[in-house]
Amino acid sequence: MKYEAPVGKTIFDDAKIVGKSTRRIDGPLKTSGMAPYAYERHDVASGQVYGYIVGSAIAKGRIASMDLEEARSAPGVLAVIAATETDPLGSSNFNTAPLFGGPEITHYHQAIACVVAETFEQARAAAALIRTTYDRDEGEYSLSRTVEQAASDTSKIVSENVVRNGDFESAFAAAAVQIDQTYTTPDESHAMMEPFATIAAWEGDKLTLWTSNQMIAWGRAAMASILRMPKENIRLDSPYLGGGFGGKLWVRVDAVLAALAAKAAGRPVKIMMQRALTYNNATHRHATIQRVRIGADKNGKIAAIAHECWSGNLTGGMDENGAAQTRALYAGPDNLTASYLTELDLPEANAMRAPGEAPGHLAIEVAMDELAEQLGMDPIELRILNEPETLPSNPSIKFSDRHLVECLRVGAESFGWANRKSRPGTVREGRWMVGMGVAAGYRGALIMKSGARVSIDARGKISVETDMTDIGTGSYTIIAQTAAECMGVALEDVSVDLGDSRSPVSAGSGGQWGAASSTAGVYAACVELRRMVTEKFGYDPETASFADGMVRDANVVRALSEAGPLSAEDTMTYGDFQKEYDMGTYASHFAEVAVDAYTGEVRIRRMLAVCDAGRILNPLTARSQVIGAMVMAAGAALTEELAVDKRFGFFVNHDMAGYEVPVHADIGQQSVIFLDTLDGVIAPLKAKGVGELGICGPGAAIANAIYNATGVRVRDYPITVDKLIAEMPDVA
Ligand code: MOS
């Protein structure tokens, strides 16, 4: 089915199941331990043995020698795979740095060997016996240095993405009120609960990988390229994930080494990438340096706005476009948004938790707060005053459906914004300095082609198969809701099978496109199945109705089960009409913080997000998405940072103790309000993704609240106690 034009009324506009808060259908399996994660698939292949990964001890250079003999003769060892003895693997479009290989080393903890043994402990002990020597090269590990060099030597910029409308420089120079500030964000790690893990087994030339992956079709294609084998001979199965956050958009070396090791050992091999390796071996979010300039008149009307973002990556890597949201957020006829990339020899940077826009809001939404203060204006009124009619970076593009102003107004009312004191440092409760902050949020609403197979069995039960993944987001449940709604059965009569490459290719989970895209694919398959049912019954497909397990046409009623067994498959694709629109999701984010006047410790008392993301398919699981994202935003604002060793080129804090991730319990109260909106441009369900919207803005609201509480602006994230206390007012 192709979505060629915005729809009018659909069955979802009178929905009984879609749009209703529904507990996860996979919840009982998860809470009872019956939902096996990749490393726990004990029953899928017998005789599983263990692989242990060895990472490079240098960031750049080459392996001079590897002595593997001691490891090979250690107890229980079945095979040792070393980069020095392995023919070069194929490359894939999905990975920048080679996942496994040598002798060239492109980043610290790049995998260089794998030991396979009967037990995990034997594999780990033997891995410690491998002796490797290196020829180490100097590398470049400092983003700030490459950006300084780029100021005089443009060859240091390896790629740029610049969008201009009008003449920013002249309009900025002429503006009565100007803001020109630079913000920095650090390298960050996905730090999902479940590490990368794979069990691999061969049957002849057929390979099965039970793994943990967000994008099954991408992963299968990558493995086919890397192993130089037909993708038809590879099966990926990833029904449950303990988080991904972008780190599992790509297969990692656990999958590659498990495949190689299973072949070498002649046994199924299971590998979990040890936690300490994940931070440098896998991808991470780029650090950014962001300069924001805004020029406005005395009444706050923005004339000129520029947001430029610098990030660094390995040769051939992508940038972190922190300026992306600024193309859409505020009117300002003369605007410039740009992302510049320099080269670094740190581990590969790639997509993480709303790439680009999550760190981008930490700059633009604080700059807006700074502008509001300079103008003596309420920051909400400043934003409302500068609400654009069409896309500021390209005014010929319309918004598909946008209610940002309503988000701000509803949020202000609900949060009690009127009680905020605009002068910073004026609210004191004992030792606590209290403040409130606000930020707007924008995240693109991507939609991807997505397929599914939907079947009716002889009992009238519905089953859905698609390679869509549920990374903890609730995909199982919204897909079941969609199929139940379309086929007119109860939710309990739908079963959902996800994450298997034998099923139709879906959108997968990424870029907050999963919910909207995968349900549209399920809808397409259901429309085809309904057509087949009416054909079988001799009904008019236009007038037949599906409800309560029955199919009615005029005065004839038959049970859906009579049509079974029957199966339909389809894929939803999209027409070019969508190019005329900017499809986005919008939010207002609020935070109230208390800062200890003596220690600078920050406590987040309350957070609120008001989201405009089209139809909310399941308010219960959508809320969970958003409050989880708000916690991640708190991490970006206050705690999360990979510390770079600029001499040797690696992230020092590579474990859960050193890389500090907040949890819900760190935040006093979290609230989410969903506006009741519909976006008919994006898909027949009129729904948009919402998870990543939840991380776009709250960090800035927290930073602005800290300023409101203390009068201190820290523009170098995370806002840790050491940075804050140095600037805090003297109290003792
Ligand atoms: Mo998301 S960072 O595209 O998994």
Side-chain angles (χ1 to χ4, degrees):
M1 182 181 283
K2 189 164 184 184
Y3 196 57
E4 299 271 24
V7 281
K9 195 166 149 67
T10 72
I11 58 165
F12 302 106
D13 295 324
D14 298 315
K16 296 185 197 65
I17 301 172
V18 167
K20 304 290 180 287
S21 279
T22 304
R23 289 192 195 182
R24 285 163 201 265
I25 60 170
D26 50 327
L29 292 176
K30 285 188 169 167
T31 51
S32 62
M34 298 297 285
Y37 290 79
Y39 201 68
E40 306 167 333
R41 306 289 295 269
H42 309 302
D43 56 345
V44 291
S46 59
Q48 296 175 16
V49 291
Y50 296 80
Y52 192 87
I53 306 169
V54 179
S56 165
I58 63 165
K60 190 174 175 158
R62 62 207 55 77
I63 300 168
S65 70
M66 284 184 96
D67 183 350
L68 309 165
E69 289 322 304
E70 251 189 293
R72 283 209 162 105
S73 54
V77 171
L78 300 166
V80 176
I81 297 168
T84 47
E85 297 180 352
T86 307
D87 288 339
L89 298 170
S91 59
S92 99
N93 296 335
F94 300 92
N95 304 98
T96 300
L99 293 179
F100 178 67
E104 291 299 316
I105 299 298
T106 59
H107 66 90
Y108 187 79
H109 272 174
Q110 179 173 324
I112 58 169
C114 175
V115 177
V116 188
E118 292 284 353
T119 70
F120 171 80
E121 290 77 9
Q122 288 171 329
R124 182 177 58 185
L129 300 173
I130 294 177
R131 301 278 170 254
T132 308
T133 62
Y134 304 89
D135 294 325
R136 190 158 70 87
D137 291 342
E138 291 300 312
E140 178 57 76
Y141 308 116
S142 167
L143 174 64
S144 60
R145 186 161 52 214
T146 61
V147 171
E148 274 163 34
Q149 290 166 347
S152 56
D153 175 3
T154 51
S155 73
K156 291 281 175 188
I157 304 285
V158 294
S159 81
E160 59 179 28
N161 175 353
V162 181
V163 176
R164 278 182 178 275
N165 188 65
D167 176 0
F168 166 76
E169 283 76 5
S170 305
F172 181 69
V177 181
Q178 297 175 339
I179 286 286
D180 182 353
Q181 291 292 356
T182 297
Y183 308 84
T184 60
T185 64
D187 296 281
E188 295 170 356
S189 183
H190 306 85
M192 58 277 178
M193 188 78 81
E194 181 205 22
F196 303 93
T198 301
I199 298 171
W202 291 86
E203 251 183 87
D205 57 0
K206 298 222 181 336
L207 172 66
T208 303
L209 300 160
W210 294 275
T211 190
S212 182
N213 190 278
Q214 297 174 223
M215 298 291 300
I216 299 304
W218 292 4
R220 192 183 190 208
M223 287 303 293
S225 310
I226 291 167
L227 299 179
R228 295 196 175 90
M229 58 187 282
K231 72 174 186 192
E232 291 68 32
N233 286 355
I234 300 175
R235 179 186 165 212
L236 252 69
D237 189 33
S238 180
Y240 302 106
L241 284 86
F245 311 150
K248 292 174 184 167
L249 288 167
W250 335 104
V251 286
R252 301 305 310 176
V253 74
D254 54 298
V256 175
L257 282 175
L260 296 179
K263 184 150 262 184
R267 303 263 294 270
V269 171
K270 63 193 303 182
I271 297 180
M272 178 174 290
M273 187 185 294
Q274 52 268 38
R275 180 72 67 182
L277 221 55
T278 57
Y279 298 78
N280 286 279
N281 176 286
T283 59
H284 68 284
R285 191 204 297 280
H286 325 51
T288 67
I289 298 172
Q290 302 181 54
R291 183 184 186 194
V292 179
R293 286 172 287 170
I294 311 175
D297 70 15
K298 289 203 162 57
N299 299 320
K301 198 88 186 156
I302 294 173
I305 185 162
H307 189 165
E308 295 167 285
C309 179
W310 287 263
S311 58
N313 209 343
L314 290 169
T315 306
M318 57 173 276
D319 60 327
E320 178 85 14
N321 187 355
Q325 69 292 320
T326 305
R327 291 176 186 167
L329 268 175
Y330 302 112
D334 295 290
N335 54 66
L336 158 66
T337 50
S339 176
Y340 309 104
L341 184 68
T342 66
E343 269 182 9
L344 294 175
D345 296 301
L346 289 170
E348 180 181 343
N350 214 312
M352 175 178 142
R353 309 183 194 158
E357 283 144 82
H361 283 77
L362 292 168
I364 183 67
E365 286 307 292
V366 173
M368 286 296 284
D369 205 65
E370 302 201 43
L371 177 62
E373 169 151 66
Q374 202 164 314
L375 288 160
M377 230 178 134
D378 180 88
I380 292 179
E381 295 309 320
L382 173 66
R383 287 175 171 89
I384 291 171
L385 179 68
N386 289 288
E387 173 71 4
E389 290 290 319
T390 62
L391 190 68
S393 63
N394 181 355
S396 68
I397 303 280
K398 300 168 275 192
F399 295 113
S400 59
D401 191 60
R402 170 168 170 142
H403 306 273
L404 177 57
V405 169
E406 194 182 343
C407 290
L408 288 160
R409 294 229 189 272
V410 169
E413 175 70 28
S414 170
F415 201 69
W417 184 254
N419 299 325
R420 172 181 176 266
K421 304 279 179 266
S422 58
R423 201 159 66 83
T426 45
V427 180
R428 188 72 186 263
E429 290 175 15
R431 64 188 295 146
W432 298 103
M433 305 175 82
V434 181
M436 285 189 210
V438 68
Y442 171 92
R443 175 69 177 162
L446 293 170
I447 190 86
M448 307 278 271
K449 114 179 176 184
S450 193
R453 185 185 307 120
V454 182
S455 309
I456 310 169
D457 72 9
R459 296 169 305 148
K461 306 277 185 201
I462 301 294
S463 59
V464 184
E465 296 156 282
T466 161
D467 83 358
M468 180 60 191
T469 48
D470 188 326
I471 60 178
T473 38
S475 311
Y476 278 104
T477 311
I478 56 171
I479 284 171
Q481 289 174 271
T482 304
E485 191 77 52
C486 292
M487 298 313 299
V489 301
L491 190 69
E492 298 68 39
D493 291 328
V494 180
S495 64
V496 180
D497 186 338
L498 296 185
D500 190 337
S501 63
R502 296 185 297 196
S503 297
V505 174
S506 73
S509 298
Q512 83 165 9
W513 65 62
S517 306
S518 68
T519 53
V522 171
Y523 168 73
C526 287
V527 168
E528 174 58 11
L529 186 60
R530 283 169 62 127
R531 191 198 60 75
M532 290 165 72
V533 170
T534 55
E535 189 175 81
K536 200 163 184 174
F537 287 170
Y539 287 1
D540 179 352
E542 296 301 316
T543 54
S545 68
F546 290 67
D548 307 320
M550 310 299 281
V551 191
R552 291 176 175 77
D553 186 27
N555 297 324
V556 199
V557 183
R558 289 178 72 176
L560 186 61
S561 57
E562 290 179 48
L566 202 57
S567 189
E569 187 177 325
D570 201 5
T571 296
M572 183 65 88
T573 59
Y574 298 87
D576 282 343
F577 79 98
Q578 290 185 330
K579 295 199 178 114
E580 295 166 28
Y581 298 92
D582 185 74
M583 300 188 292
T585 61
Y586 311 89
S588 65
H589 291 289
F590 292 80
E592 181 179 310
V593 303
V595 182
D596 189 307
Y598 300 95
T599 68
E601 180 188 345
V602 177
R603 293 288 175 92
I604 303 172
R605 291 184 164 183
R606 295 191 291 142
M607 294 178 84
L608 167 67
V610 182
C611 302
D612 164 28
R615 186 191 312 282
I616 299 301
L617 300 166
N618 181 346
L620 184 67
T621 52
R623 176 182 180 276
S624 296
Q625 284 294 287
V626 175
I627 62 172
M630 289 156 80
V631 174
M632 295 179 189
L638 299 179
T639 64
E640 291 188 53
E641 173 174 24
L642 285 167
V644 182
D645 183 318
K646 294 196 175 96
R647 301 160 304 163
F648 296 109
F650 67 94
F651 301 128
V652 180
N653 47 341
H654 45 65
D655 57 34
M656 286 290 213
Y659 185 84
E660 295 175 6
V661 181
V663 297
H664 289 292
D666 289 317
I667 298 164
Q669 184 200 337
Q670 292 186 277
S671 306
V672 182
I673 296 170
F674 294 114
L675 294 190
D676 193 8
T677 60
L678 297 172
D679 191 336
V681 171
I682 192 161
L685 279 87
K686 305 175 188 173
K688 298 185 274 199
V690 73
E692 293 185 335
L693 179 63
I695 192 176
C696 293
I702 291 165
N704 293 337
I706 291 171
Y707 178 77
N708 183 243
T710 63
V712 181
R713 283 268 182 223
V714 175
R715 300 182 185 88
D716 173 31
Y717 294 98
I719 306 172
T720 46
V721 168
D722 54 318
K723 296 173 194 168
L724 196 49
I725 201 161
E727 306 292 325
M728 295 264 290
D730 287 336
V731 285

